[in-house]
């Protein structure tokens, strides 16, 4: 199955401008969250954490299928990130620090972690 088939025909709404009131409110909201870098480092591996969750619950799964799903979804996520080009908060506001995670090297939107998490739970 080609997840990118028909991708260009999908209507995509651009994100708010980087200097918009919406973005300023988003940055203010994010700034009020108590972030723990250790938490992010532990949770950065979506597939590994999902498999740990399934194992802890003694649930059956096919690791090959889950791995392929995460790998295939990455192409779609990258295409969307390249379309939206939404910078990460630490690129827009100096009060935010780069968490130095492998998953924060590209654009922020859409969230790869959220997208993959939702696909895995299907």
């Amino acid at each position: 199955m080609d997840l990118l088939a028909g991708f260009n025909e999908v209507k995509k709404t651009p994100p708010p401008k980087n200097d918009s009131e919406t973005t300023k409110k988003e940055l203010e909201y994010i700034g009020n969250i108590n972030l723990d870098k250790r938490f992010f480092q532990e949770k950065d591996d979506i597939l590994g954490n999902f498999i740990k969750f399934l194992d802890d619950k003694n649930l059956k799964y096919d690791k090959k299928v889950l791995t392929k799903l995460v790998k295939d979804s990455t192409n779609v996520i990258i295409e969307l990130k390249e379309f939206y080009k939404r910078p990460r908060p630490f690129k827009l506001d100096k009060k935010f620090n780069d968490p130095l995670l492998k998953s924060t090297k590209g654009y922020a939107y859409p969230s790869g972690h959220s997208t993959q998490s939702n696909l895995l739970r299907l």
Side-chain angles (χ1 to χ4, degrees):
M1 180 171 115
D2 183 4
L3 293 175
L4 293 176
F7 176 76
N8 290 325
E9 286 75 39
V10 174
K11 182 178 179 183
K12 299 180 265 312
T13 305
K17 301 230 182 267
N18 294 342
D19 60 352
S20 71
E21 285 303 312
T22 300
T23 298
K24 289 175 187 172
K25 287 179 184 176
E26 290 172 346
L27 291 171
E28 182 180 339
Y29 175 81
I30 293 168
N32 290 322
I33 299 172
N34 185 13
L35 302 175
D36 179 354
K37 183 177 178 181
R38 185 176 41 92
F39 171 82
F40 286 106
Q41 290 170 333
E42 290 171 4
K43 305 303 180 201
D44 201 31
D45 176 15
I46 291 295
L47 180 60
N49 282 296
F50 189 68
I51 287 174
K52 182 182 180 322
F53 170 81
L54 295 173
D55 287 343
D56 288 349
K57 301 286 184 189
N58 293 316
L59 297 171
K60 295 180 183 180
Y61 60 90
D62 184 328
K63 187 173 181 177
K64 286 183 182 180
V65 170
L66 295 179
T67 301
K68 182 167 176 30
L69 180 64
V70 168
K71 183 178 181 225
D72 289 350
S73 68
T74 300
N75 296 329
V76 174
I77 294 164
I78 290 170
E79 287 284 331
L80 287 169
K81 285 180 182 280
E82 286 298 319
F83 172 80
Y84 288 107
K85 295 185 185 321
R86 188 79 165 134
R88 297 204 174 263
F90 61 83
K91 299 272 186 175
L92 295 173
D93 191 328
K94 298 296 181 208
K95 74 178 173 190
F96 296 106
N97 295 318
D98 180 351
L100 302 174
L101 302 173
K102 65 180 178 179
S103 62
T104 61
K105 300 300 178 217
Y107 294 109
Y109 182 83
S111 166
H113 285 87
S114 294
T115 303
Q116 289 173 334
S117 295
N118 280 293
L119 287 170
L120 286 170
R121 67 185 193 111
L122 295 175

